[in-house]
């Protein structure tokens, strides 16, 4: 998932740069919002299932993306919660428990035959 996001951000940045619409070429500039898809998810202090829970986020709670990491067999997204009981807290959520803006960007690569008519 982290590789997919990096490719998506780079592809989007390159496409926008060619059109003159990019003001900043960083992953942070492309990052937008996210929301929790699990019924409940522990917001962790570090990207690890054994790290301290700093809060609990519930389905539909919104967040903003800050960073990504891959640890312990899981992809993780660092977020700042913007709604719900964990509002204002920053921590890590497993990627399978959160939907991010990067997942909404669809790109077509030459190897993907489904993209070509």
């Amino acid at each position: 998932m982290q590789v997919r996001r990096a490719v998506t951000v780079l592809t989007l940045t390159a496409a926008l740069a060619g059109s003159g619409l990019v003001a900043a070429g960083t992953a942070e500039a492309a990052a937008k919002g996210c929301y929790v898809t699990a019924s409940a998810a522990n917001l962790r202090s570090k990207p690890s299932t054994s790290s301290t829970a700093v809060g609990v986020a519930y389905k539909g709670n919104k967040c903003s993306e800050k960073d990504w990491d891959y640890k312990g067999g899981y992809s993780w997204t660092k977020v700042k919660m913007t709604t719900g009981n964990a509002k204002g807290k920053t921590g890590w959520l497993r990627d399978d428990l959160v939907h991010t803006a990067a997942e909404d960007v669809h790109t077509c690569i030459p190897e993907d035959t489904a993209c070509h008519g």
Side-chain angles (χ1 to χ4, degrees):
M1 185 168 251
Q2 184 176 10
V3 171
R4 182 181 73 181
R5 284 186 182 160
V7 169
T8 300
V9 169
L10 288 175
T11 303
L12 179 61
T13 301
L16 291 175
S19 69
L21 295 175
V22 167
T26 65
E28 292 79 19
K32 292 191 170 105
C34 55
Y35 60 91
V36 177
T37 55
S39 57
N42 286 320
L43 188 64
R44 302 281 184 176
S45 60
K46 296 178 184 176
S48 168
T49 55
S50 61
S51 70
T52 305
V54 296
V56 178
Y58 295 96
K59 188 171 189 161
N61 287 170
K62 295 180 182 179
C63 51
S64 59
E65 302 169 66
K66 301 289 186 185
D67 201 1
W68 301 282
D69 203 350
Y70 183 81
K71 296 256 168 102
Y74 296 105
S75 291
W76 294 85
T77 301
K78 186 174 186 179
V79 301
K80 180 172 184 179
M81 298 306 301
T82 57
T83 65
N85 62 313
K87 182 178 179 178
K89 293 185 179 184
T90 299
W92 294 87
L93 293 173
R94 275 192 0 226
D95 271 354
D96 60 326
L97 306 178
V98 64
H99 180 89
T100 63
E103 294 167 337
D104 292 334
V105 178
H106 302 287
T107 60
C108 186
I109 58 173
E111 295 82 16
D112 187 357
T113 57
C115 290
H116 308 287

